[in-house]
Amino acid sequence: MAMPQGPQVFPRNEYLRRLAAVKGEMERRELSALMVVVPANITYLTGYTAKSGYVPQGLIVALNDEEPTFITRRMDAPAAIHQMFIDRSLVIGYPEGLIANPDKDGWDALIDHLLEAGFGKANIGLEEQSLSSQTVGKFRARMPAAKIVDFGNTICWIRGIKSDLEIALMREAAAIADAGMLRAKEVIRPGVSEADAAAEIIAQLVRGTGGRHGTDAAGFTLCASPRTSTAHISWAEDHFRDGSQINIELAGVRHGYTSALMRTFSIGKPSDLLQRLHEGEAAGLEAALAVVRPGATCGEVATAFNETLGKFGFKKESRCGYAIGIDWTEPTASFKVGDPTILKPNMTFHLMLGNWIDEDLGYAISETLRVTDSGADTFSTLPREIFQI
Amino acid sequence: MAMPQGPQVFPRNEYLRRLAAVKGEMERRELSALMVVVPANITYLTGYTAKSGYVPQGLIVALNDEEPTFITRRMDAPAAIHQMFIDRSLVIGYPEGLIANPDKDGWDALIDHLLEAGFGKANIGLEEQSLSSQTVGKFRARMPAAKIVDFGNTICWIRGIKSDLEIALMREAAAIADAGMLRAKEVIRPGVSEADAAAEIIAQLVRGTGGRHGTDAAGFTLCASPRTSTAHISWAEDHFRDGSQINIELAGVRHGYTSALMRTFSIGKPSDLLQRLHEGEAAGLEAALAVVRPGATCGEVATAFNETLGKFGFKKESRCGYAIGIDWTEPTASFKVGDPTILKPNMTFHLMLGNWIDEDLGYAISETLRVTDSGADTFSTLPREIFQI
């Protein structure tokens, strides 16, 4: 029995639309082939979410072919046949002997394919920022008559504006994030270990809510007293106490689509300082949301937040957010002073107001949102408050 | 109050020993400074496990300084002060304005530091395979009088032989992996969704066992019928049925140190074909373990497995395992035919016998082990059987 194609998350025409946008950029740059290597971009163009990107693999988009070709190691080909919308004949597994092989690797298999497909003298796009200099060098050396062009972040920018189908998945992911945060509210208690709490919260994110499972476990951070000024610690070998503050960043995931959420918890009454910081941040959040609308720039959103927070006597040094979608952060637009990106309907952002001010003052609040025709639509239904335990 | 240094996982002299080994390699190559960027290598040399490696950061090892200097974005400096063994003055946060900045990024901050520290005309090692060609180009362009040398996988090779303290952590991680697999045995039942089972198993891996928590959630795959020929699917939106086969790969984690484990489950009696494959694999596993001893090569271990499996009429195309330690796979030695790496005491491997033979036959079994003075010591206490539900 052959591996069956699995249930498809999106209809075929959704993928063809995405591919058409990529091909439009290829035409503009006079490229006849493009090798996509960023895992989130491969997900975007095919539906593939298996975790095989730690070894060489690439999706080859040819300008003149309707469907792309995926070349991956042999053992991952069945997952690609199962998950991708493309015809099974377009999934090619390269020999396992190319793994951990000092002489020849999976990139050679990809280059062989490009040469055999007649692209030896073509203009070819590469996502160079995600490849080592050695790998880019190998493409240039083995394809001397081809013109290798850096395709940069182009597909990430195309991903920036979501379809309604993508927005629907991000809403499902946001409901899961909410459920995770509510579970945190149930399990954070004095004497409970950080790991035991994390276990319950992460389990909820996997279990999902409302009949929709989490389809993956995303990054998770739980930074509790005395570590509230840290941003990216998973959790520590410690337990909560009376008076502990806990900053949590988590996300729900649906078929790669990620909705992130941050909230701060306090066991007992928050300190006056923390309460004042919260009030400034919450007011800043409202001010930022009030600016979000088509035509505004990302920089203006950050400025609105910063000015409001400043009135409360605080400052946030880091950016106020970033584009979000498949696999969390999209490396494109930021809510950052001076970012010229113009907001358009169905762009999605993590308005990320985590603020680690000095070595003993940090606070976390955020919203994942989409730009609507006239403003901002936040996905979470949770109150914007310090959750007091 | 300043961020306190947290409880240290290893004593200071353990880190100094590791640094001495790295400096020995630097001396051999006549390097006066080295920039370490692979997150697992930074963990190895400092104890840092926070998840900040998605933006530029680097640990600068100077031949003449006892402790290295860590340069990371401002918001991650407190976590480094908390976790690293080095003096807090050696953790330097670069301005948040360098994040998502098209003109100047964190690598510029690292280069600035190298220049200010007097390395402008020095021989400097870079882990080039983990840097984009653009970043390597920036180092060469901004440090034209320095000699930039690729340090390759050198630190990964040094990590290959564990200290007894590291082995102790990997044993703790293995006990957690066992607990996760036993939890799988409890929760896999007909009608249960894959996500609900995954939630319970992952929660166990985080909760840990025997008073030792998991300190992180590692990669997790659950590939169930009809997806048993896939290797790297997290889990699917599906549920178990009578007759389902389930292949699981999971790991326990203790302070970065990872012990992996694979087992196959069957709801009801396994098919004769699966049973025969299991018998071949289990016999091959014993044959492989019998070869493991100091002085044998990695290639010989693979050959022993392959020859035994072949007697049962099966073949495994992919390698039979790889070095394992911090953050799972070490990109160095493999149990692969022809791999010349000579085994030494306290090398650790994931003897990974997952075998995806064709589109409807896959099977998973593995052991994480250390090389002893005379043989192999497997960390798991679970039987090498198909777990029948």
Side-chain angles (χ1 to χ4, degrees), chain A residues 171-180 182 203-214 254, chain B residues 196:
Chain A
R171 279 189 198 287
E172 293 174 5
I176 294 171
D178 279 4
L182 291 173
Q204 185 70 57
L205 295 171
V206 172
R207 203 176 289 123
T209 188
R212 305 282 185 186
H213 296 296
R254 289 285 297 162
Chain B
D196 283 346

Side-chain angles (χ1 to χ4, degrees), chain A residues 3 51 74 76 88 97 99 134 150 196 200 207 214 229 232 235 237 254-255 336 357 359, chain B residues 3 51 54 74 76 88 97 99 134 150 196 200 207 214 229 232 235 237 254-255 336 357 359:
Chain A
M3 168 60 72
K51 303 292 173 56
R74 164 68 185 81
D76 291 310
R88 58 192 301 123
I99 302 298
Q134 283 95 338
D150 181 15
D196 283 346
E200 296 299 323
R207 203 176 289 123
S229 69
H232 295 114
W235 54 86
E237 291 209 282
R254 289 285 297 162
H255 303 292
K336 179 176 168 172
I357 290 179
E359 288 185 19
Chain B
M3 167 62 69
K51 302 292 174 55
Y54 66 99
R74 163 68 185 80
D76 290 310
R88 59 191 301 123
I99 301 298
Q134 283 94 338
D150 181 16
D196 283 346
E200 295 300 322
R207 203 176 290 124
S229 70
H232 295 114
W235 55 84
E237 291 210 282
R254 289 285 297 163
H255 303 291
K336 178 177 169 169
I357 289 179
E359 289 186 18

Side-chain angles (χ1 to χ4, degrees), chain A residues 23 29 76:
Chain A
K23 288 174 182 174
R29 298 168 200 213
D76 291 310

